């Protein structure tokens, strides 16, 4: 898909359809995409970003309860040039869900747009105490 077509959908059509809440909805849409296209490693995650045309995703550092990724590339630079304010919540939600499935812990991702540097930094955080509970299909929860 040409970058222009992608940008028409991403920066014009989707915000028009979803209204002012589109960044939050994109975050949840990214989580949904992650469940449909699961990866099992950080290398696979970076490969998915490249294949989807989302840019070059690189792990900057990893701590006990946090990771930081950088997203850059030609499409990112072009988005910054053409759009005054753009969001990367789709990508943030996708990263959050992928790492949540890998770590089995509630995970959130925050974006920091670095427009002058033509990149986005994603900070991914989780708490080792927030372990996901397994849900057995067909059985009611204990609540």
């Amino acid at each position: 898909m040409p970058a222009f077509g992608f940008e028409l959908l991403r920066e014009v059509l989707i915000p028009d359809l979803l209204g002012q809440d589109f960044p939050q909805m994109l975050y949840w849409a990214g989580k949904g995409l992650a469940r449909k296209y699961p990866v099992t490693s950080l290398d696979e995650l970076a490969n998915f970003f490249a294949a989807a045309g989302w840019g070059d995703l690189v792990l900057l550092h990893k701590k006990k309860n946090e990771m930081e990724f950088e997203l850059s590339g030609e499409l990112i630079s072009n988005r910054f040039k053409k759009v005054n304010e753009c969001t990367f919540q789709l990508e943030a939600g996708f990263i959050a869900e992928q790492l949540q499935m890998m770590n089995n812990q509630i995970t959130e991702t925050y974006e920091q747009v670095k427009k002058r540097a033509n990149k986005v930094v994603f900070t991914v955080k989780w708490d080792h105490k927030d372990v996901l509970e397994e849900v057995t299909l067909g059985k009611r929860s204990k609540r």
Side-chain angles (χ1 to χ4, degrees):
M1 173 185 239
F4 179 68
F6 178 75
E7 290 308 307
L8 279 176
L9 294 173
R10 175 82 177 244
E11 303 297 341
V12 179
L13 183 61
I14 290 175
D16 282 352
L17 290 173
L18 300 179
Q20 67 182 2
D21 295 327
F22 86 94
Q24 295 86 355
M25 294 177 88
L26 283 177
Y27 186 86
W28 290 102
K31 290 176 81 67
L33 279 174
R35 288 188 291 272
K36 291 177 181 165
Y37 295 93
V39 300
T40 58
S41 70
L42 296 179
D43 286 338
E44 282 185 36
L45 180 61
N47 290 338
F48 182 92
F49 267 69
W54 290 355
D56 303 317
L57 187 69
V58 176
L59 177 65
L60 296 178
H61 72 266
K62 181 179 180 178
K63 297 179 183 176
K64 181 181 174 185
N65 296 329
E66 181 180 302
M67 285 185 185
E68 197 168 82
F69 293 91
E70 179 181 281
L71 181 65
S72 61
E74 187 177 342
L75 181 64
I76 306 304
S77 299
N78 288 339
R79 285 182 70 192
F80 287 144
K81 288 175 190 169
K82 293 179 183 175
V83 180
N84 201 18
E85 276 189 47
C86 48
T87 181
F88 294 85
Q89 288 296 292
L90 180 73
E91 295 88 341
F94 189 84
I95 293 169
E97 187 68 19
Q98 293 292 1
L99 290 172
Q100 181 168 298
M101 290 186 298
M102 283 184 220
N103 297 334
N104 201 38
Q105 295 163 336
I106 303 294
T107 305
E108 293 185 25
T109 301
Y110 307 93
E111 74 175 73
Q112 298 171 340
V113 174
K114 310 263 184 182
K115 195 170 184 175
R116 286 186 182 167
N118 289 318
K119 64 184 177 182
V120 181
V121 175
F122 294 105
T123 303
V124 186
K125 295 186 177 196
W126 61 91
D127 184 345
H128 290 290
K129 296 174 188 168
D130 280 337
V131 177
L132 291 174
E133 295 180 23
E134 295 230 5
V135 176
T136 306
L137 295 176
K139 292 189 177 184
R140 292 181 160 225
S141 68
K142 294 179 183 179
R143 292 188 213 189

